[in-house]
Amino acid sequence: MTITPVVLHGPMLRTLLVGALALAPFGAACAWQSATQPTSRAAQSPSQQFQQSAQQQQTRDQLQKSQLEQQLRQGVADNAKRPTASDPRSQQRLDDADRAQRERDRANQQDLLDRERDSSTLPRVVPKDLPAPAHSG
């Protein structure tokens, strides 16, 4: 039995790193959500539970979409770097563009999480029952 060392090549390591960075906001959102949820869902009405679940699912879907877009962009960027790998200035420009795009993605995800957090702390407005119409008769 031979033991082979695990070798992580540049693109593979970068993909793993991007994946980990992309999943970090989602993990933070899950941790924040579990810390801020009421201890008993029984205290919420069924419509509130549904609304909260729908909103959380929408946030998860948006984060997942953002992560997939990041992975696609990273693949395109990696392919774009191959022909110019010997030119340090081109390589630096591509690295700078990658870094700027990651920062924009991180800011967009953080904004999404902040909006989700802020919307869940807003007071819920529950309409009162309208008075019964007077019957003339």
Side-chain angles (χ1 to χ4, degrees):
M1 173 186 219
T2 29
I3 299 175
T4 57
V6 176
V7 178
L8 295 176
H9 299 284
M12 183 178 178
L13 180 61
R14 182 176 294 149
T15 302
L16 289 172
L17 181 60
V18 167
L21 290 174
L23 292 175
F26 182 67
C30 289
W32 172 83
Q33 177 184 350
S34 65
T36 59
Q37 277 187 339
T39 55
S40 170
R41 290 189 69 136
Q44 294 179 326
S45 73
S47 64
Q48 287 174 325
Q49 290 175 8
F50 176 79
Q51 184 179 8
Q52 183 180 16
S53 295
Q55 189 174 13
Q56 290 167 354
Q57 184 62 47
Q58 183 181 15
T59 301
R60 283 191 295 271
D61 290 347
Q62 288 173 337
L63 285 172
Q64 185 178 24
K65 178 183 173 190
S66 174
Q67 292 162 3
L68 291 173
E69 289 171 350
Q70 283 177 340
Q71 290 173 353
L72 275 171
R73 274 194 300 273
Q74 188 62 48
V76 169
D78 288 344
N79 287 334
K81 288 179 185 179
R82 287 185 186 152
T84 62
S86 61
D87 182 14
R89 286 193 301 177
S90 295
Q91 192 69 31
Q92 184 61 43
R93 283 193 297 267
L94 288 170
D95 288 342
D96 290 345
D98 282 348
R99 191 174 309 108
Q101 184 63 51
R102 283 193 305 271
E103 281 299 310
R104 283 190 299 272
D105 290 339
R106 187 205 59 74
N108 286 337
Q109 289 177 348
Q110 189 61 50
D111 179 59
L112 176 66
L113 293 173
D114 290 345
R115 282 186 281 132
E116 167 73 16
R117 183 193 64 229
D118 292 344
S119 70
S120 67
T121 59
L122 293 175
R124 302 274 184 215
V125 177
V126 180
K128 295 181 179 180
D129 291 332
L130 294 174
H135 295 292
S136 60

